[in-house]
Amino acid sequence: MSIVEKRRERSRKNSLDTKISGRNLFSRRFFLGSSIASIAAATAQNARAAQRFPPDHVLATDPFRPITHFVAPRGWMNDPCGPIFVDGQYHLFYQWNPEAAIWDNMHWGHATSPDLVNWEYKPVALSPHHDGPERDGVFTGDVVVDGDRAVAIYTGFRFGRGQAQIQCAAYSDRSMVHWKQAHEPVLATGPDHLHIGGFRDPKLWKEGDVWVMLVGSKIEGMGGVIFRYESRNLSDWTFIRVFYGPSALRGGDDVLECPDFFDLGSCHALIFSINNVVHVISGTYNKGVFTPLREDVLGHGGFYAARSFVDQEGRRAVFGWLAEKPWQAGEAASRGWSGAMSYPRLVEADPTGKVRTVLHPAVETLIGEQMFAGRLEAPLNVAGPQVRIRLRFKARTAGSVVFAHTDRYLHLDYNPDAGQGRFSCNEDDAPLAPTDDTTLDIFVDGAVIEIFSSTGVVLNTRAYGNPSRPFTLTASGCFEGARCEIHYLLAARFTTAG
């Protein structure tokens, strides 16, 4: 029996009862924006208690573990860090606790891929050093190539400092396998003249002979901001200005996290994350000054900490972190893994500056044999939960779709009268304007669900129901009689470097 079949057959059994609270495990902002030292001490004790991972064969056949999304080999995973295409390979770095499936003891994991689909796990890239500036954790950052070397600049934590969050550097050759972490930070404080709270998640690019770095922060009493720094050598950085903000958005410690900035042709786009949402601001850019013109949401539901890169074809693409639901934290810890990366997406803008994402074409190679094509007129038995369901329907009246074994593993509702139209799936929702011809591409990959709409809206959510076969797909309201195609998802290859 193949691994995919075993995953489809295997039900949840003998889940361990953990004492780790979902409140402490869900949000990177909760940890980064609170009394960090006391929280870290409490979670460290839990981490030591949870280090006993299930055997590899149990991890491999966990029916909730996705087979087409990137996941760490084990342990906790959150933000993508410095995705980059170099010398024919994609490199993906990510926040990782290799010792337990809870937030603690943060490292940078590393994987490479020739195609954004099949991945090889590499050795840990960056680790906390007891005598280093990142002694208490290696956090989010970026990677750039400068001639024959690769440079990572990332946020390090060291408690007991006036500024616990500092920007650190590491260096490698272009293979990016062996890194040397600098003993001193490249930025030990924020701008001297500003009273800031939070200072993290650097993003880099080059303009002519000058390197530019954005860092997320907030100005006390004013709101979240993004700072612009410049350097000619990637080591000595000068504060230039507040690049964006202060923002009226609130959440966590109000820091605008994971800033990113890029050219989309018809406009420039700034993205950042706050309060469980990735925001995108489009506008004009001239001589280092960004003028915002429009604000949108880049992804809905459980999509956070997005980071962009340029793919092999020169297109702007993005990954985001898909977190577990808070109430599922204990179960995730006992299963030995937590968090997944979104599918790669292309980022596009129309002539008005409206930014949207679409599924990266690379993912199409994971769509396998067709199971059904026709009208959704009666309940269908489907061998879930790794499938793509494409629905084409008239979004004018309300309706529901349920995909499940004995419960509501996936429950999708459409309501044209909610605002200007909304659809929801499990605990998450997104706008969907009424039209006479709407398509939803629903990817169900274990516990991970990504829904791509023909309007450009993408919704992420999670599913933790009964994964036993067979699943049944039922429809009501506007989905009755919808055109429906169902395909198996093929398992991506995940290997470990020898």
Side-chain angles (χ1 to χ4, degrees):
M1 182 180 289
S2 70
I3 288 177
V4 176
E5 289 171 329
K6 288 179 180 178
R7 289 181 182 179
R8 288 175 177 149
E9 293 287 355
R10 182 177 177 273
S11 299
R12 258 188 319 181
K13 296 180 180 179
N14 302 322
S15 295
L16 299 176
D17 179 22
T18 68
K19 296 183 179 179
I20 305 165
S21 78
R23 178 181 64 89
N24 284 352
L25 295 176
F26 172 63
S27 173
R28 81 192 290 277
R29 295 175 311 288
F30 179 78
F31 289 98
L32 300 183
S34 303
S35 179
I36 301 170
S38 60
I39 294 169
T43 55
Q45 182 176 358
N46 286 333
R48 287 188 289 272
Q51 285 175 11
R52 293 181 294 277
F53 287 112
D56 286 346
H57 74 277
V58 174
L59 271 171
T61 56
D62 181 350
F64 293 108
R65 187 174 170 90
I67 64 172
T68 64
H69 287 78
F70 180 85
V71 289
R74 58 180 52 80
W76 168 282
M77 182 183 78
N78 56 283
D79 303 7
C81 302
I84 189 171
F85 181 75
V86 177
D87 299 335
Q89 289 283 321
Y90 291 98
H91 294 257
L92 175 61
F93 302 90
Y94 53 94
Q95 292 273 265
W96 187 33
N97 178 4
E99 296 182 352
I102 65 171
W103 189 99
D104 187 52
N105 189 31
M106 300 310 294
H107 297 58
W108 270 25
H110 180 203
T112 60
S113 172
D115 55 13
L116 289 174
V117 168
N118 303 294
W119 294 91
E120 182 177 73
Y121 298 120
K122 298 293 187 180
V124 172
L126 305 177
S127 304
H129 289 178
H130 75 278
D131 59 347
E134 71 292 89
R135 179 181 64 193
D136 298 308
V138 174
F139 290 86
T140 302
D142 201 13
V143 175
V144 294
V145 170
D146 181 31
D148 292 333
R149 67 174 183 164
V151 180
I153 297 185
Y154 59 95
T155 298
F157 269 45
R158 187 152 185 175
F159 304 129
R161 290 175 172 265
Q163 177 68 60
Q165 300 170 30
I166 54 180
Q167 313 317 314
C168 305
Y171 306 92
S172 175
D173 61 19
R174 293 171 67 102
S175 72
M176 305 188 202
V177 174
H178 303 291
W179 291 85
K180 182 177 180 180
Q181 292 168 237
H183 292 292
E184 296 295 331
V186 294
L187 272 180
T189 62
D192 293 337
H193 64 293
L194 297 175
H195 182 34
I196 68 170
F199 187 56
R200 55 183 180 265
D201 307 339
K203 172 68 180 183
L204 295 94
W205 71 90
K206 197 171 188 180
E207 295 182 1
D209 295 330
V210 175
W211 288 97
V212 179
M213 177 167 63
L214 301 184
V215 183
S217 185
K218 78 166 180 183
I219 299 174
E220 297 288 0
M222 298 181 69
V225 294
I226 296 170
F227 296 137
R228 179 186 174 108
Y229 288 83
E230 293 182 1
S231 172
R232 291 189 175 273
N233 58 12
L234 288 168
S235 298
D236 304 304
W237 292 91
T238 301
F239 172 71
I240 302 300
R241 65 174 63 89
V242 173
F243 187 73
Y244 178 80
S247 170
L249 296 170
R250 296 291 179 261
D253 60 353
D254 294 343
V255 170
L256 303 186
E257 300 189 296
C258 302
D260 201 339
F261 187 69
F262 42 84
D263 185 359
L264 288 175
S266 63
C267 64
H268 278 72
L270 172 70
I271 64 174
F272 57 82
S273 297
I274 185 171
N275 198 27
N276 298 334
V277 178
V278 179
H279 296 266
V280 56
I281 314 295
S282 61
T284 61
Y285 183 63
N286 185 40
K287 296 181 179 179
V289 176
F290 176 57
T291 303
L293 297 176
R294 179 186 179 119
E295 179 175 353
D296 293 288
V297 172
L298 195 66
H300 296 265
F303 178 80
Y304 199 73
R307 274 290 162 100
S308 80
F309 60 101
V310 176
D311 76 359
Q312 187 174 5
E313 304 298 326
R315 298 168 295 191
R316 182 63 56 171
V318 67
F319 280 111
W321 168 42
L322 309 180
E324 307 297 327
K325 293 296 184 182
W327 53 268
Q328 190 57 203
E331 289 280 353
S334 70
R335 290 198 300 267
W337 66 277
S338 181
M341 207 64 69
S342 72
Y343 284 139
R345 306 174 185 177
L346 295 180
V347 188
E348 304 173 342
D350 68 17
T352 70
K354 180 175 176 57
V355 178
R356 73 173 199 165
T357 61
V358 297
L359 186 70
H360 195 285
V363 180
E364 298 288 338
T365 64
L366 294 172
I367 298 173
E369 179 186 354
Q370 186 177 82
M371 289 183 282
F372 176 82
R375 295 284 183 179
L376 196 53
E377 296 174 337
L380 297 174
N381 288 333
V382 180
Q386 279 92 15
V387 296
R388 188 205 67 176
I389 303 168
R390 171 171 287 175
L391 297 174
R392 187 172 177 181
F393 65 104
K394 183 181 291 189
R396 292 295 183 184
T397 58
S400 296
V401 171
V402 176
F403 182 61
H405 175 62
T406 57
D407 54 16
R408 292 184 170 189
Y409 197 89
L410 180 156
H411 184 184
L412 186 150
D413 290 308
Y414 177 65
N415 183 356
D417 299 321
Q420 296 181 341
R422 297 193 74 83
F423 75 110
S424 63
C425 186
N426 297 354
E427 299 177 1
D428 297 289
D429 71 316
L432 188 66
T435 69
D436 288 329
D437 189 7
T438 301
T439 300
L440 296 179
D441 273 337
I442 306 168
F443 289 81
V444 186
D445 187 13
V448 174
I449 297 174
E450 296 205 56
I451 305 173
F452 294 82
S453 76
S454 53
T455 65
V457 171
V458 184
L459 177 65
N460 288 94
T461 190
R462 302 303 294 269
Y464 304 106
N466 185 349
S468 300
R469 295 167 70 183
F471 272 47
T472 301
L473 180 67
T474 58
S476 63
C478 63
F479 294 105
E480 288 186 284
R483 293 186 179 276
C484 178
E485 297 178 18
I486 305 175
H487 290 78
Y488 286 113
L489 293 181
L490 303 175
R493 294 190 304 276
F494 292 89
T495 57
T496 301

